[in-house]
Amino acid sequence: MDIIFPILGLAIPILIILGIVYFILKIKADLPISFSYRGALRVYFYVVILISVGLGGLGGVSTLLKVGFGEMVGREFSYGNVYEEHRDDQQREKNEDHPADTEDETRSLPEKVELEMKGSLINGVSLAVIGLFLLVVHFLGRWWVETGDERSDLLRRLYLMAGLVIFAIVTIVSLATGIPETLRYVLLDINPGEESPGEPLSIAIVALPVWICYLVATLRNIRTSSIEQAT
């Protein structure tokens, strides 16, 4: 769940910038700027499709991968935060010299990790199903509304560019975080939980193919437009 808000925080300014670019290009091309219900509906479909991919893929599928890494590699690989919090609780109890007074503090470390894993599993399945449902509904809606010519127009290009930029940034950041953490986890003698590469590595595995899909679609769109202009 923690990944959703950073994605929205990243996507919103990019969409605003691309919207400004869209209006600037229309003004430079001397095209009339008027409200179109059809155009607004297309913008709605494109925005929700981007959100659906982020919700179902980066929020849902990556969380399920994180759970899988925790089961295959080790719980500390994916849930290092639980180990760190448990150590902090123990240190605080030792320094303050008083017994645990909350239910969470009285749980053992395996119980805390198991609870975190089950919560991640529930979140992952829920977000994946919701994201897939929204994606299918809005993809079909966009396909039904758009004409053949509109599938290579300026609005379509801006949508592809938005997806390309958003998922490129997410992929690069998650790879730059996940790979060094994974190497430190494997090569260094560290305490359990000090390195927890499960989450960034899972996000990178999901974001990379999405980024490639948007890149291929963008290049194909540019090539199709060039051929049409040449003919």
Side-chain angles (χ1 to χ4, degrees), residues 6 13 37 91 97 108 133 147 190 197 199 223:
Y37 178 76
Q91 187 64 36
D97 195 24
S108 65
F133 173 75
T147 63
I190 56 178
E199 183 171 9
R223 183 177 180 183

Side-chain angles (χ1 to χ4, degrees), residues 115-133:
L115 184 63
E116 183 76 12
M117 186 273 293
K118 290 179 179 178
S120 296
L121 186 61
I122 292 172
N123 290 338
V125 172
S126 301
L127 294 178
V129 171
I130 293 171
L132 179 61
F133 173 75

Side-chain angles (χ1 to χ4, degrees), residues 99-114:
D101 55 0
T102 66
E103 183 180 354
D104 187 64
E105 291 177 341
T106 57
R107 290 193 180 101
S108 65
L109 178 59
E111 289 175 335
K112 292 179 180 179
V113 175
E114 186 71 17

Side-chain angles (χ1 to χ4, degrees), residues 9-87:
L10 173 68
I12 290 173
I14 291 176
L15 292 173
I16 292 174
I17 293 171
L18 291 176
I20 295 172
V21 171
Y22 175 74
F23 284 109
I24 291 176
L25 292 176
K26 291 201 73 172
I27 292 172
K28 291 184 67 175
D30 293 328
L31 296 174
I33 300 177
S34 59
F35 176 79
S36 168
Y37 178 76
R38 180 191 186 84
L41 189 60
R42 290 181 64 208
V43 171
Y44 161 76
F45 282 134
Y46 282 134
V47 171
V48 177
I49 286 172
L50 281 175
I51 294 174
S52 301
V53 174
L55 185 70
L58 304 183
V61 177
S62 69
T63 302
L64 295 178
L65 280 177
K66 174 184 171 182
V67 174
F69 279 132
E71 292 299 306
M72 292 184 296
V73 180
R75 296 290 176 90
E76 68 277 7
F77 188 84
S78 294
Y79 306 109
N81 61 309
V82 180
Y83 288 80
E84 290 290 341
E85 291 171 2
H86 183 73
R87 279 197 291 268

